[in-house]
Amino acid sequence: MIRPTLFVIAAAAISACRQPPERQIVAAAAEALGGRSRILAVKTLIIEGEGTNGNLGQDMTMDAASQHFVVSGYKRSVDIVNLRARTEQTRTPNFAYFQGPQAQKQVLGVDGDVGYNVAPNGTATRVSNAVARDRRAEIYHHPLKIVRAALDPETKLASPRTAGHEQVVDITTADGLMFTLAIDATTKLPTWVVSMTDNTNLGDVLIETAFDDYQDVGGLKVPRRFTIKTDKYRTAELRVTRQTIDGETGDLTAPHAATSAPAIAAPPPATVTAEQLAKGIWFLGGQSHHSVLVEFADHLTLIEAPQNDTRALAVIAKAKSLRPDKPLTQVVNTHHHFDHSGGIRAAIAEGLTVITHTANASFYRDAAARPHTIVPDALAKAPKPLKVMPVDEELELKDATMTVNLYHVAGNPHADTLLMAHFPREKILVEVDAFSPGAAVQPYAVNLEENISRRGLKVDRIVPLHGTIVPYSELLKIQ
Ligand SMILES: [Zn+2]
């Protein structure tokens, strides 16, 4: 009886060694986590904890990391077999947030191809296909799900390699999702998973989830700490207080309001309206993010190329149609926030010189050079060099017909890179985010008024790039 047993053990050991190296990495990870059969039996995960969410593309400068949301009451329920997940959390800003300081409840879900959010009043709305794809990929950013997927014979494993103290393997699931998994060379426990996605401003970016501080739960090892980065920016950190395997998740199917809504494959088409404010000055509105066109003697300057290619190219086309006899040569960027700089690459593709605060110059140089292979944008299709005109405290744009002064809005808690534009002859002030007429909270408006007073600017009308044009007296009402 002894001999066959030894033989079986020896044969199993030889067959393990004979596995190709990429299978060996996955097999070792499965063993370290609690064993292949135990992993394959897992159906649901419930992760509870607390942590932080970052403020990517909306902080004081591009590289600042002082602003975040404190996350409490985090509960993520995942059906790893049917690719459904729902995250509930409460987040509270640690900074002067435009929606106010109060805690906000969020419910963010995905069910196969359908992503959705549920508002506090219970109303579910479908999110874009791109967001749904990211949420589906996020389900694999857990050691048990990624190793479970890697054990699937339909999954392709490739490029096994050693990097420092980690062993790394590329994983393509049967439905075409691609990941890279790293495991610790000693413990064999997964250390991180990355996948790639498209970001309007940053192009092709890696989303990385790092795993740390493993604990035993239900015969398996699971991490107690998750750290998520988008590109080089930390976007979330979670400390797990309780993790439940195969607990009762409740119904994770998408709400009917989301599944019955049409899929959102692209940003909505742009609507651009034009209103002449004075000779040589047009307000280009129509949706949430506005621009202003300025006419000089021999060229045109646009203030703001916001959001994305769709909006920016439509605004640029409208500008050219208003004065087809003059070249549009410049775009003023009010600040680096992603919703206001999302059209900068389109403006570069159109050959415009970017006028922006000095603190943004290196970020835009980087942004202009980044690959956009997943969703090729206008600049990816027609590369052009970036031309930047930096502004420190002020810059006068002036010729015989037009004068506009750009000023740094100093000390504003919204952004360190904020510029406002003043037309001294017309007494018009163009600004954004510092004062949004009609908004319920105005945490940045007092500072704007201080900047206007300090510089002794004469202003009759405020032309905001969010909201409607108002007399200057409206700003003075904000305390
Ligand atoms: Zn902003």
Short mmCIF file of all heavy atoms in Angstrom, two decimals, residues 58 335 337 339-340 414 433, ligand 1:
data_model
loop_
_atom_site.label_atom_id
_atom_site.label_comp_id
_atom_site.label_asym_id
_atom_site.label_seq_id
_atom_site.Cartn_x
_atom_site.Cartn_y
_atom_site.Cartn_z
N GLN A 58 -9.29 67.01 -9.39
CA GLN A 58 -10.08 68.10 -8.81
C GLN A 58 -9.42 68.70 -7.59
O GLN A 58 -10.05 69.44 -6.83
CB GLN A 58 -11.49 67.58 -8.43
CG GLN A 58 -12.30 67.00 -9.57
CD GLN A 58 -12.79 68.04 -10.57
OE1 GLN A 58 -12.84 69.22 -10.27
NE2 GLN A 58 -13.11 67.61 -11.79
N HIS A 335 -8.44 76.52 -15.29
CA HIS A 335 -7.73 75.76 -14.26
C HIS A 335 -7.63 74.30 -14.71
O HIS A 335 -8.22 73.89 -15.71
CB HIS A 335 -8.34 75.91 -12.87
CG HIS A 335 -9.75 75.43 -12.69
ND1 HIS A 335 -10.80 75.81 -13.52
CD2 HIS A 335 -10.31 74.61 -11.76
CE1 HIS A 335 -11.92 75.26 -13.09
NE2 HIS A 335 -11.65 74.51 -12.03
N HIS A 337 -8.65 71.47 -13.42
CA HIS A 337 -9.65 70.44 -13.09
C HIS A 337 -10.13 69.74 -14.36
O HIS A 337 -10.34 70.38 -15.39
CB HIS A 337 -10.83 71.07 -12.34
CG HIS A 337 -10.48 71.38 -10.91
ND1 HIS A 337 -11.35 72.02 -10.05
CD2 HIS A 337 -9.36 71.14 -10.20
CE1 HIS A 337 -10.76 72.16 -8.86
NE2 HIS A 337 -9.55 71.63 -8.93
N ASP A 339 -12.79 68.54 -15.61
CA ASP A 339 -13.96 68.94 -16.41
C ASP A 339 -13.69 70.23 -17.17
O ASP A 339 -14.39 70.53 -18.13
CB ASP A 339 -15.22 69.05 -15.54
CG ASP A 339 -15.09 70.03 -14.40
OD1 ASP A 339 -14.00 70.12 -13.78
OD2 ASP A 339 -16.09 70.72 -14.10
N HIS A 340 -12.67 70.97 -16.78
CA HIS A 340 -12.33 72.21 -17.50
C HIS A 340 -11.12 72.05 -18.41
O HIS A 340 -10.83 72.93 -19.22
CB HIS A 340 -12.13 73.36 -16.50
CG HIS A 340 -13.40 73.70 -15.80
ND1 HIS A 340 -14.36 74.54 -16.35
CD2 HIS A 340 -13.94 73.25 -14.63
CE1 HIS A 340 -15.40 74.60 -15.55
NE2 HIS A 340 -15.18 73.83 -14.50
N HIS A 414 -10.64 76.60 -4.09
CA HIS A 414 -11.09 75.67 -5.13
C HIS A 414 -9.92 75.07 -5.89
O HIS A 414 -9.91 73.88 -6.20
CB HIS A 414 -12.04 76.37 -6.10
CG HIS A 414 -12.60 75.45 -7.13
ND1 HIS A 414 -13.51 74.47 -6.82
CD2 HIS A 414 -12.35 75.32 -8.45
CE1 HIS A 414 -13.80 73.79 -7.92
NE2 HIS A 414 -13.10 74.27 -8.92
N ASP A 433 -16.25 78.37 -11.39
CA ASP A 433 -16.19 77.60 -10.14
C ASP A 433 -16.03 78.45 -8.89
O ASP A 433 -16.50 78.07 -7.83
CB ASP A 433 -15.07 76.52 -10.18
CG ASP A 433 -15.43 75.35 -11.09
OD1 ASP A 433 -16.59 75.33 -11.56
OD2 ASP A 433 -14.59 74.49 -11.34
ZN ZN B 1 -12.89 73.34 -10.75
#
